[in-house]
Amino acid sequence: MSPATGTSRYDHDRASLDTVLAGVAERTGTALPAYRVDQLWQGLYRDLVAPEDLTTLPKGLRAEVGAALPAALTEDTRSVGDSGQTVKWLFRLADGALVETVLMHYAERSTVCVSTQAGCAMACGFCATGQMGFDRHLTTGEIVEQVVRAQVEAGDRRVSNVVFMGMGEPLANYDRTWSAVERLHGDLGLSARHLTVSTVGIVPGIRRLAAESLPVNLAVSLHAADDDLRDELVPINRRYPLDVLAEACAEHVATTGRRLSFEWALIHDVNDRPEDAARLADYARPLGAHVNLIPLNPTPGWPTRGSSPERVRAFADEVNARGGNATVRRTRGTDIDAACGQLRADRVGGGDGPTPVAAPRGRPPVG
Ligand code: SAH
C-alpha cells in the first residue's frame, strides 16, 4: 500500500510543534521561551494564519519557522456554484497529487466535505473517484488543512460540520483519518457530533470507530440491500456482505449512541424499484438508520442515469410507508461538478504535476 508522502504544518499538534521549535532554536542558536509554542499553536489553530505572518513571533524567526512548517495545499483551481453557496477546490499536494474539497453554506450551518485519499481503491463503478483508481493516502495534516482552507474562505461564517465524504475511503486510511478527527475536535474545536465519517462498509474499520472514545457520526454508502446487487455496485460487499455490515453498524450505534445514516444513490431501474425500497426499509428499520436518498449524479465512466424526481419521491414514500426513515438530500455543486461522486481530480491541459491514472479497475485490492 502506498505510504502517505505529504507533509503539512497541520500534521503537528502542540507537542510536536514544541519539537519543531526546539529544532529552530538549535539551528538559529536562539533561545526560545516556552510560550512561543502556545503562540504558534494559537496562530495555526485559532487565527488560522501562516507562521510567516504570525506577528506574535519575533520578525527574525518567522521565515525560519515558516520554512519548518510548510503548507501542503496549493490551490490549483477554485469553482464557485449555487450562487456562491458552494465552493470547490482542486488542491495540488507537494508531490503533485490532486485532491478536491467542497465548502457548502446552508442557512443553519456550513459544512466542509474533505478528501482522505488521492483517488480511491474501492472501485465503485458509478463514482468518479472510483473510476480513476488509487493514488495515495493523505496525511492527517493534509486532511486537516482542507478544513482550515475552507474556514479561511468562509470568513465570519463558522465551519460547523465536517463530512469525510470527498475523494477516497476514510476507513482504508484509518489511522490518519482518526488523527484528523482528533485534531479537528481537540485543536480546531469542532464538536464530535458534527463530524461524519462515510464508508463503503469496511467492517473492521467500523468496529474500530465504534470503540473510539470520541463518538462521531457514521454514514454507510449502502446503495443496495441485497448482496447480489451490492456486490456489483459496491465491490467491497463481496468481502463484507450485508449481514456482517449490519452487525458492525449495530455495534457502532450501541456504543456511540450516534444515529446511523445510509446513503443511497438512486439509479434508474437498478435500485429504485418498489422491491428495492422494501428491502432497504427492512434493512434500515432494526438499526434505526436514517436514509439519505440522492439521484445518482452523472459521471464520465458510468452509462446509467439517475432516477427522475418522481421516482425519487415515490421511492422515499415507499421506504417511509414501510417504517423506514428516508429523506431526499438537497444536491449541491452539480453546476461545478462538485456533487457527490463527481470528485475526480484529473485536469485537462495545463498543470505540471503527475495526474492520477484513470485506469479501469476490477475487484478492489482488499485485505
Ligand atoms: N468512500 C466513502 C466516502 C466518499 S463517497 C464512501 O463511499 O462513503 C461519498 C458518497 O458519494 C458516498 O455515499 C458515495 O456512494 C456517493 N457517490 C459516489 N458516486 C456517486 C454518484 N455518481 N452519484 C451520487 N452519489 C455518489
Side-chain angles (χ1 to χ4, degrees):
M1 192 165 271
S2 318
T5 47
T7 52
S8 161
R9 58 178 68 123
Y10 290 98
D11 278 307
H12 297 279
D13 60 8
R14 200 187 282 262
S16 72
L17 286 175
D18 198 29
T19 312
V20 170
L21 278 188
V24 170
E26 201 175 299
R27 275 198 303 285
T28 56
T30 340
L32 288 177
Y35 61 80
R36 292 289 181 218
V37 71
D38 294 324
Q39 291 175 328
L40 182 55
W41 180 88
Q42 171 98 21
L44 293 184
Y45 288 102
R46 286 289 171 269
D47 307 331
L48 312 183
V49 299
E52 297 89 318
D53 302 326
L54 212 54
T55 48
T56 48
L57 290 183
K59 221 170 176 175
L61 213 59
R62 290 177 207 163
E64 193 73 32
V65 177
L69 294 170
L73 310 180
T74 309
E75 183 178 301
D76 183 289
T77 325
R78 167 211 302 246
S79 330
V80 180
D82 300 318
S83 314
Q85 297 308 293
T86 303
V87 182
K88 179 181 81 164
W89 288 267
L90 174 59
F91 287 120
R92 184 177 296 278
L93 307 176
D95 63 348
L98 297 164
V99 293
E100 295 186 284
T101 305
V102 186
L103 167 67
M104 292 158 285
H105 291 300
Y106 300 91
E108 71 290 3
R109 66 179 189 280
S110 294
T111 299
V112 188
C113 177
V114 295
S115 296
T116 54
Q117 298 177 318
C120 185
M122 295 297 116
C124 304
F126 54 87
C127 173
T129 310
Q131 288 159 18
M132 67 184 259
F134 179 66
D135 188 1
R136 73 163 168 91
H137 295 305
L138 301 194
T139 68
T140 298
E142 287 171 333
I143 300 169
V144 173
E145 208 177 306
Q146 295 172 60
V147 179
V148 171
R149 293 293 287 263
Q151 178 60 75
V152 169
E153 167 77 23
D156 289 343
R157 301 178 70 169
R158 181 167 150 75
V159 168
S160 50
N161 295 59
V162 175
V163 293
F164 291 76
M165 288 189 186
M167 296 168 68
E169 167 50 44
L171 299 186
N173 186 15
Y174 190 95
D175 292 338
R176 300 179 192 91
T177 294
W178 188 256
S179 297
V181 164
E182 291 182 322
R183 191 91 15 106
L184 295 178
H185 176 262
D187 297 277
L188 281 178
L190 282 142
S191 153
R193 66 175 191 282
H194 291 157
L195 306 178
T196 301
V197 172
S198 182
T199 177
V200 286
I202 298 188
V203 163
I206 295 173
R207 293 197 188 280
R208 280 182 76 184
L209 212 54
E212 300 285 2
S213 55
L214 272 181
V216 297
N217 302 307
L218 175 66
V220 174
S221 300
L222 200 64
H223 308 309
D226 63 287
D227 282 316
D228 284 346
L229 180 57
R230 196 162 192 270
D231 282 352
E232 290 303 311
L233 295 177
V234 184
I236 198 79
N237 194 68
R238 296 167 198 162
R239 173 126 191 175
Y240 306 114
L242 285 160
D243 55 348
V244 296
L245 178 60
E247 280 171 27
C249 288
E251 188 177 319
H252 191 269
V253 171
T255 59
T256 65
R258 289 281 179 250
R259 190 168 68 163
L260 170 72
S261 55
F262 288 140
E263 308 293 313
W264 191 285
L266 284 158
I267 311 171
H268 181 73
D269 271 350
V270 172
N271 66 353
D272 69 347
R273 300 155 303 173
E275 58 265 37
D276 299 306
R279 274 192 287 260
L280 167 56
D282 289 346
Y283 191 79
R285 222 185 308 107
L287 294 166
H290 174 254
V291 178
N292 268 318
L293 300 172
I294 40 167
L296 182 86
N297 288 306
T299 59
W302 186 256
T304 47
R305 60 190 163 94
S307 308
S308 65
E310 296 71 40
R311 294 275 290 251
V312 172
R313 199 61 260 159
F315 189 90
D317 290 346
E318 184 70 23
V319 173
N320 291 332
R322 290 173 176 275
N325 173 14
T327 51
V328 179
R329 192 151 92 182
R330 290 175 283 176
T331 53
R332 275 302 189 90
T334 33
D335 51 343
I336 51 170
D337 279 353
C340 293
Q342 291 184 326
L343 302 184
R344 179 192 176 98
D346 50 3
R347 62 203 302 289
V348 182
D352 40 11
T355 335
V357 282
R361 304 185 68 103
R363 277 165 167 253
V366 288

